[in-house]
Amino acid sequence: IFANASMAAPALWISATTSEERPIRVIVRAPDRITDFGAGRLVSDTTMVDVRAADLPTPRPGDLIVIGADSHVIQGEPIRDRERLIWTLDLRPA
């Protein structure tokens, strides 16, 4: 899936601590997130990406992911799947 041009996109990872750069491939998802607030519900846009752990072994909050012309910062702790092959990263605009 990551090699398929219609499923995954090229991106650039930049470390927040060392400024190391690494090209990666990501699968971009943008689900709406519903948050309860008192009696109301708020709907907010989110951007999440999946990246292979082999391509990016140690993503950290604060690292930068550049997809095309858009820059995003990893927020929260990255989550690995059950097989520990894929990272899911929650992003916010930089």
Side-chain angles (χ1 to χ4, degrees), residues 17-36:
T17 55
T18 64
S19 298
E20 175 188 356
E21 296 182 5
R22 179 179 298 175
I24 58 175
R25 296 213 32 103
V26 296
I27 296 173
V28 181
R29 297 179 286 129
D32 287 340
R33 181 175 291 157
I34 298 173
T35 306
D36 292 327

Side-chain angles (χ1 to χ4, degrees), residues 9-14 21-26 28 49 63-74 91 94:
L12 180 67
W13 167 80
I14 303 171
E21 296 182 5
R22 179 179 298 175
I24 58 175
R25 296 213 32 103
V26 296
V28 181
V49 297
D63 289 352
L64 193 66
I65 304 286
V66 180
I67 305 168
D70 299 326
S71 297
H72 304 277
V73 175
I74 299 174
L91 306 179

Side-chain angles (χ1 to χ4, degrees), residues 29-34 44-48 75 90-91:
R29 297 179 286 129
D32 287 340
R33 181 175 291 157
I34 298 173
S44 58
D45 296 334
T46 64
T47 302
M48 301 182 83
Q75 64 180 1
D90 187 8
L91 306 179

